[in-house]
Amino acid sequence: MSILGNRVRRVEDPRFLTTGLTTVADLSGDDQPLLQGAACVTFVRSSIAHGRVASIDVDDARDLPGVLAVLTAADLDLPPFTPGAMTPPEMTRPLLAVDVVRFVGEPLAIVVTETPAQGEDAAEAVWADIEPLPAVVGAEAAVTDQHLLFPDAGTNTAARLEFQEPDPTLFDGCEVVVRTRVRSPRLAACPLEVRATAAAWDGGRLTVWTSTQAPHAVRARVAERYGLDESSVRVIAPDVGGGFGAKMSPYPEDLLVPFVARAVGRPVRWVETRSENMTAMSHGRDQVLLAELGGGHDGTFQAYRLTVLQDAGAYPGIGAFLPFMTQIMAQGVYEIPRVECTTRSVVTTTTPVEAFRGAGRPEATQAIERAVDAFAAEVGIDPVEVRRRNLIERDEFPYTTRTGATYDSGDYEEALDRALGAAGYESLRAEQRRRRDEGDPVQLGIGVCAYVEITAGPGRHEKEHARVEVLADGSAVVYTGSSSHGQGHATAWAMIVADRTGIPLERIEVVHGDTDAVPDGVGTFGSRSLQVGGSAVVEGTDTVIDRAKTVAAWLLGADGAEVELDTGVGAFRLAGAGPGSASVGWSEVATAAEGRGLSAAVTFTAEAPTFPFGAHVAVVEVDTETGKVELVRLVACDDAGRILNPLLAEGQRHGGIAQGVAQALLEEVRFDADGNPVTANFADYGVISAPELPSFELVAMETPTPLNALGAKGIGESGTIGATPAVHGAVLDALAPLGVGHLDPPCTPERVWRAIIEAREAQR
């Protein structure tokens, strides 16, 4: 019986629950001798969103106790960040601000001290004379180019993506055209562990410890920055307390820590505060989406246009290209004959925007699902029925959309039916009618979302490395280029090897996050781990088995004969021989293979991305007298292909749904008119917690992909994609009888209450 598909408890958890995680902040000279006597790094940050730097006075700070050095941009000999190939070269980001600051939290100087407390005192003693310039807050303000962040560029536009020339006749022949504006609010990743990096030089070799999702990417960037061969750089990612996309790439601070270590001649460590994390770590989302959907009075769709305006923050990086992911997923799960999508990314005087769980795909779903609800209301047909009439049918896969995505496999109607059935949709509508008829002050809202997303994409040839080795004692070690930060790789990869070899799960070790131990790798992001990293483990394991069979045949005195592996007992015997026949186990084979090696290193290359899909049903109660929204039910059918371990998959679904719900109801990074962050800590930023959430009702469904041997798609981001539109739609559904037709998320009590009051006043 295969271990795959079973609820196997995470092998990581006993350590996490007893001794706890070992993060960069926890490392000591006892654990890592190279960090013995590490000094502390503190960054001096701009308190002004946009201004010209006249001078930076560090004299007072240098005289304080415990201060080893104070460094500014004038002390650096490192090249700046470079923007993406499609963005203006003038939008380069310096590692430390030089002439201009462009967001509150941008690093201005570095203080090096013996203790963290001394660093805080010294940072406050650094005085920066900054002449204020006009703040540019919000993409819609930036797009006018009234105030430029980079005058030499002559524009605030960082990137444009046009799928095709706009067609003025796109909606010709449509009996109904609805236009909706959807804002996907700016979010903070809020990982349990803030950013942290340590560095030590040992002769000409550099070791970096950092909280990252992709240690090999850090190694490449550090080596490039310091003119080193990658073999001279070792990057270690210890236990990482969450990433959510915000730790995909190294930040200026991460790249500066090795410079500081070299400058002071001793190891150093930087661990940011929570407020620093909220203001200076990249944010996510922040798109304004204009969706236009046309079709017939019978509820069928004929044309769709999506216009995306992306706030990339102060410096264009990955954030400027998030709309590409929005564009490729614009069509959603629907058969629409004509589709257009145009995107534009602009810079603003706010924290840079980068990837965040879903990275452009949730926004596409938010836009089209809101448009579908508006279309259903306009034609007077139940929103579920409108969806059902337009879904791509199960026999059309693989299906290529009008924006160039090729969906690998799916059954969208089945997912919708399963979610609706589990929710008891008709009964919910009946209860809603009762409350409306009775004028109940607590109204019921029902929101439905059908979604598809892309994982391990957007292009072809996504790669990941793995090496599988069976030791002389019969145990196994898996070296993976994937980098776990909560996903459960130690369990999942061991399950794959155990299933194929018969070696007990507890005798399989998984090694990751150390570029010396695993020289090649890509990392963990975009829900790519199992379908790419897991597939590499499959190939590596199968190669080891093939090599083991040759050795086993020799041990059995039948050189060249066909040998079978009995995974039930982890033993090799001649093909066709019964269970009682002569056999050799993994220990014997591995011992005999010493010198020739019983290991295999492989790099798996995916043919194409995969497309998970599903449907969510949200039920909310809205107190029309106070504006309070309570999510009472969330039913989710998330199909991510074949499930390796339901326990791991459900954990990913729980986390994703929670973040999706938070975006709809609570979370939003906000700035005032001068660009000052007003949500710089957890007292002001609405991080969701258990009391705000019901027990999620998870509906199972598996539609394997033909693109890898596991049949697996990604599951890490599905919850964020389906939950937000469902919950947002449910709130608007509850408010519809009151005349509220639009409400930007998050649907906070104040925002809901104001919308109700405004609707009542408009009806007078």
Side-chain angles (χ1 to χ4, degrees):
M1 179 179 174
S2 174
I3 192 175
L4 303 186
N6 290 295
R7 301 177 66 84
V8 177
R9 290 186 178 181
R10 291 173 24 131
V11 301
E12 302 95 327
D13 288 347
R15 179 172 66 87
F16 291 164
L17 294 171
T18 53
T19 59
L21 281 71
T22 300
T23 65
V24 172
D26 298 318
L27 297 175
S28 68
D30 295 334
D31 306 315
Q32 303 287 339
L34 286 176
L35 282 178
Q36 190 72 44
C40 300
V41 172
T42 304
F43 285 93
V44 180
R45 300 184 182 275
S46 173
S47 60
I48 293 177
H50 193 201
R52 198 173 311 282
V53 181
S55 64
I56 301 176
D57 186 348
V58 301
D59 291 341
D60 289 346
R62 283 181 173 146
D63 293 336
L64 291 176
V67 174
L68 303 174
V70 182
L71 307 170
T72 67
D75 300 303
L76 302 184
D77 58 359
L78 299 175
F81 261 36
T82 54
M86 296 173 61
T87 58
E90 296 86 357
M91 294 184 178
T92 296
R93 177 176 183 176
L95 296 178
L96 288 176
V98 182
D99 300 316
V100 177
V101 291
R102 295 181 174 88
F103 70 97
V104 172
E106 182 167 5
L108 286 164
I110 306 169
V111 173
V112 192
T113 55
E114 295 289 354
T115 69
Q118 291 169 340
E120 292 182 15
D121 292 341
E124 290 183 0
V126 174
W127 172 253
D129 184 5
I130 300 175
E131 302 169 4
L133 294 170
V136 181
V137 180
E140 290 167 310
V143 78
T144 66
D145 286 339
Q146 181 179 0
H147 301 294
L148 298 178
L149 271 70
F150 301 89
D152 290 345
T155 179
N156 287 325
T157 297
R160 290 178 185 266
L161 295 170
E162 290 189 358
F163 175 66
Q164 61 188 42
E165 286 293 323
D167 180 2
T169 67
L170 185 71
F171 295 103
D172 286 2
C174 294
E175 297 172 324
V176 176
V177 179
V178 296
R179 293 174 172 84
T180 60
R181 176 189 179 278
V182 179
R183 182 170 177 270
S184 187
R186 180 180 285 231
L187 303 179
C190 304
L192 177 68
E193 179 198 14
V194 295
R195 294 179 298 168
T197 297
W201 294 85
D202 185 13
R205 196 158 198 265
L206 171 63
T207 301
V208 176
W209 297 261
T210 187
S211 182
T212 180
Q213 299 171 225
H216 297 87
V218 175
R219 181 184 65 181
R221 295 289 291 275
V222 168
E224 176 188 24
R225 192 85 25 186
Y226 290 89
L228 300 172
D229 187 87
E230 288 192 8
S231 62
S232 297
V233 179
R234 180 185 185 185
V235 174
I236 301 171
D239 294 326
V240 175
F244 310 116
K247 295 179 182 176
M248 279 175 53
S249 303
Y251 289 81
E253 294 94 331
D254 301 314
L255 297 176
L256 284 167
V257 168
F259 177 85
V260 177
R262 188 172 62 184
V264 300
R266 60 190 279 190
V268 299
R269 173 167 29 209
W270 164 64
V271 181
E272 68 179 350
T273 66
R274 178 59 64 182
S275 291
E276 281 183 291
N277 181 267
M278 296 294 287
T279 56
M281 187 186 201
S282 65
H283 295 155
R285 308 284 192 263
D286 211 347
Q287 287 186 6
V288 177
L289 306 111
L290 302 178
E292 303 168 85
L293 181 60
H297 286 298
D298 62 354
T300 57
F301 303 153
Q302 296 170 6
Y304 180 60
R305 175 183 288 142
L306 179 62
T307 305
V308 182
L309 182 59
Q310 171 75 59
D311 187 336
Y315 297 98
I318 294 173
F321 301 98
L322 293 178
F324 176 75
M325 302 298 287
T326 310
Q327 181 185 82
I328 200 169
M329 298 310 302
Q331 189 173 328
V333 295
Y334 304 108
E335 174 58 66
I336 308 176
R338 303 188 299 276
V339 178
E340 282 184 3
C341 183
T342 301
T343 79
R344 184 176 183 179
S345 298
V346 294
V347 290
T348 62
T349 55
T350 60
T351 305
V353 170
E354 300 282 341
F356 174 69
R357 201 169 190 169
R361 290 101 78 197
E363 295 90 325
T365 301
Q366 289 161 32
I368 196 164
E369 289 300 284
R370 183 72 202 104
V372 169
D373 282 343
F375 187 91
E378 184 67 22
V379 298
I381 301 175
D382 185 279
V384 165
E385 181 58 30
V386 168
R387 286 174 169 81
R388 187 173 279 115
R389 291 182 189 183
N390 292 280
L391 291 172
I392 298 166
E393 297 184 2
R394 71 189 72 183
D395 59 0
E396 295 186 67
F397 294 91
Y399 176 91
T400 301
T401 70
R402 307 298 182 265
T403 54
T406 299
Y407 299 165
D408 52 340
S409 62
D411 191 341
Y412 301 157
E413 186 171 8
E414 177 67 17
L416 181 61
D417 287 343
R418 290 193 185 194
L420 293 169
Y425 182 71
E426 296 302 329
S427 297
L428 289 171
R429 287 296 183 198
E431 170 63 13
Q432 183 183 65
R433 286 191 293 271
R434 183 192 69 77
R435 294 197 191 191
R436 289 180 176 179
D437 291 343
E438 295 178 0
D440 195 319
V442 179
Q443 287 292 307
L444 195 71
I446 306 157
V448 178
C449 169
Y451 75 89
V452 60
E453 68 142 330
I454 182 173
T455 58
R460 296 177 179 270
H461 310 308
E462 282 282 318
K463 298 182 178 183
E464 192 52 270
H465 174 81
R467 181 165 71 89
V468 179
E469 180 178 7
V470 178
L471 306 180
D473 63 358
S475 63
V477 183
V478 181
Y479 300 88
T480 175
S482 295
S483 187
S484 180
H485 45 281
Q487 291 82 358
H489 291 173
T491 304
W493 288 191
M495 288 177 65
I496 292 172
V497 175
D499 177 68
R500 300 180 101 79
T501 64
I503 297 173
L505 191 72
E506 61 273 13
R507 304 205 67 208
I508 301 170
E509 179 187 3
V510 176
V511 176
H512 65 86
D514 184 337
T515 61
D516 271 11
V518 189
D520 298 310
V522 177
T524 296
F525 45 85
S527 298
R528 69 190 305 272
S529 292
L530 182 58
Q531 58 192 302
V532 185
S535 292
V537 174
V538 168
E539 286 193 357
T541 305
D542 288 349
T543 302
V544 167
I545 291 171
D546 289 341
R547 293 174 181 173
K549 287 179 178 179
T550 301
V551 178
W554 176 75
L555 289 173
L556 292 169
D559 224 358
E562 186 177 348
V563 171
E564 294 178 340
L565 171 60
D566 183 348
T567 57
V569 294
F572 297 87
R573 56 175 56 91
L574 296 180
S581 60
S583 65
V584 290
W586 276 106
S587 177
E588 298 165 271
V589 172
T591 300
E594 283 187 7
R596 287 177 287 176
L598 195 54
S599 68
V602 302
T603 297
F604 174 80
T605 302
E607 295 179 27
T610 63
F611 293 84
F613 62 93
H616 287 197
V617 179
V619 184
V620 302
E621 290 184 335
V622 178
D623 188 327
T624 61
E625 296 176 345
T626 66
K628 180 183 177 182
V629 177
E630 181 180 356
L631 177 66
V632 294
R633 292 183 67 189
L634 195 296
V635 181
C637 179
D638 300 304
D639 191 318
R642 185 166 289 121
I643 299 300
L644 177 82
N645 182 339
L647 197 66
L648 296 179
E650 288 168 10
Q652 289 296 305
R653 293 169 74 186
H654 282 161
I657 292 169
Q659 286 185 313
V661 172
Q663 180 175 347
L665 297 182
L666 294 173
E667 294 192 26
E668 181 182 21
V669 173
R670 293 182 291 113
F671 298 87
D672 66 18
D674 295 321
N676 298 307
V678 295
T679 50
N681 53 57
F682 287 167
D684 299 318
Y685 184 80
V687 175
I688 203 159
S689 58
E692 290 85 49
L693 296 167
S695 294
F696 304 137
E697 301 169 53
L698 304 184
V699 179
M701 182 170 167
E702 298 182 29
T703 306
T705 178
L707 297 178
N708 60 66
L710 292 168
K713 306 181 184 184
I715 190 62
E717 293 157 301
S718 293
T720 66
I721 293 167
T724 303
V727 175
H728 184 217
V731 175
L732 289 172
D733 182 56
L735 297 176
L738 304 179
V740 177
H742 174 76
L743 185 65
D744 280 334
C747 301
T748 60
E750 179 184 0
R751 193 167 287 178
V752 172
W753 180 80
R754 289 186 182 279
I756 293 171
I757 296 301
E758 290 171 4
R760 287 174 179 167
E761 291 177 349
Q763 293 170 359
R764 289 176 181 173

